Amino acid sequence: MITSRNNALIKNIKKLQQKKYRLRESRFLIEGVHLIEEALAADVGIDMLVKSEEAPLLPFDIGEHRVVEVEASVFTTLSETQTPQGWLAVCKMPTDTPMIEGDVLLLDGLSDPGNVGTIIRTAEAAGMAGIYVSEDTVDLYNDKVIRATQGALFHIPVVAGNLKTIVFSLQEKGIPVYSTAAHAECSYQDVQPRQAYALLLGNEAQGLSSELANITDQTVSIPIFGKTESLNVAVAAGVLMYGWLNQREEQR
């Protein structure tokens, strides 16, 4: 059992709470029983599991994964949650860039981890094929993003890249790219994407960059009947994805 927070392994694990070390090591942390179970189910590469001395054994098979036990006070230094469950894992970042075919989301410069995590979770639930994010979107392996996905991050491809290049590539394949704006004349309810489509969403405060807005195929709005000017971007994403999904189901 590791009893000191100054232990070299503990120090290296703690560094993964910072983006620059995550990128350098191509590793990230997940915390909690549910996320570990989801990572194992998705066959995410797990380097090691870290268990607090006070934590009960996991209620599922962990195979031959290495388990490092630490004192409760040491685990507290590694935890980023208010009520730690006593388990975390060091995971490998995916190294391959998957081909995404089907309905996709594109996220341009989103900065709120909770929004990005919620969008990933909703997209996976709605059966989207994958998500592209701009390089200035919040780090996907931020602890708050991962927790907000509730494990969905392990079940849907999420790829960072140049969205302008990705938009042109999608359009070359005949895939229409839709964006949103509060005052667009066309309601999303009047659009019926029967084949694969791409939905482009912009930053919470500034919206979509003009460079991307100018190359999308169509801009749609979500009707608002109260005095609120706009919807939260994660809520808007959910409305659009499920709205178009329901349209398809009705057409079958």
Side-chain angles (χ1 to χ4, degrees), residues 78-100:
L78 300 175
S79 175
E80 295 187 87
T81 63
Q82 291 184 344
T83 54
Q85 295 180 343
W87 282 93
L88 62 80
V90 178
C91 302
K92 301 173 185 176
M93 290 183 183
T95 55
D96 58 330
T97 302
M99 293 293 293
I100 302 176

Side-chain angles (χ1 to χ4, degrees), residues 32-172:
V33 174
H34 176 69
L35 285 176
I36 291 173
E37 184 176 21
E38 290 296 318
L40 288 168
D43 200 24
V44 172
I46 294 179
D47 277 347
M48 73 180 76
L49 297 165
V50 180
K51 174 188 178 297
S52 169
E53 61 178 328
E54 298 178 345
L57 294 177
L58 291 172
F60 44 81
D61 182 24
I62 62 171
E64 298 181 357
H65 286 96
R66 175 188 179 192
V67 178
V68 176
E69 187 167 354
V70 302
E71 279 191 351
S73 60
V74 175
F75 190 90
T76 300
T77 68
L78 300 175
S79 175
E80 295 187 87
T81 63
Q82 291 184 344
T83 54
Q85 295 180 343
W87 282 93
L88 62 80
V90 178
C91 302
K92 301 173 185 176
M93 290 183 183
T95 55
D96 58 330
T97 302
M99 293 293 293
I100 302 176
E101 297 184 0
D103 301 333
V104 297
L105 285 182
L106 298 93
L107 307 183
D108 177 34
L110 270 68
S111 60
D112 184 277
N115 282 337
V116 172
T118 299
I119 289 172
I120 293 171
R121 181 181 181 183
T122 308
E124 198 280 331
M128 300 294 284
I131 303 171
Y132 291 104
V133 302
S134 64
E135 294 171 348
D136 60 345
T137 290
V138 66
D139 179 23
L140 296 172
Y141 298 102
N142 176 303
D143 173 67
K144 292 180 180 178
V145 172
I146 294 173
R147 280 192 278 122
T149 72
Q150 284 292 297
L153 178 63
F154 309 138
H155 300 293
I156 184 172
V158 185
V159 180
N162 184 302
L163 291 193
K164 184 176 180 181
T165 301
I166 292 168
V167 167
F168 285 143
S169 176
L170 291 168
Q171 291 170 330
E172 287 176 359

Side-chain angles (χ1 to χ4, degrees), residues 141-231:
Y141 298 102
N142 176 303
D143 173 67
K144 292 180 180 178
V145 172
I146 294 173
R147 280 192 278 122
T149 72
Q150 284 292 297
L153 178 63
F154 309 138
H155 300 293
I156 184 172
V158 185
V159 180
N162 184 302
L163 291 193
K164 184 176 180 181
T165 301
I166 292 168
V167 167
F168 285 143
S169 176
L170 291 168
Q171 291 170 330
E172 287 176 359
K173 297 176 183 177
I175 297 174
V177 180
Y178 300 99
S179 59
T180 64
H183 304 294
E185 293 184 3
C186 180
S187 167
Y188 84 96
Q189 295 165 314
D190 297 324
V191 175
Q192 297 184 347
R194 299 182 181 181
Q195 304 299 323
Y197 71 89
L199 173 60
L200 181 55
L201 301 165
N203 174 270
E204 294 90 345
Q206 301 173 353
L208 197 61
S209 69
S210 58
E211 182 180 37
L212 289 174
N214 290 334
I215 61 174
T216 57
D217 294 290
Q218 189 169 3
T219 303
V220 300
S221 64
I222 297 174
I224 293 178
F225 303 101
K227 296 182 179 180
T228 300
E229 291 186 1
S230 63
L231 294 176

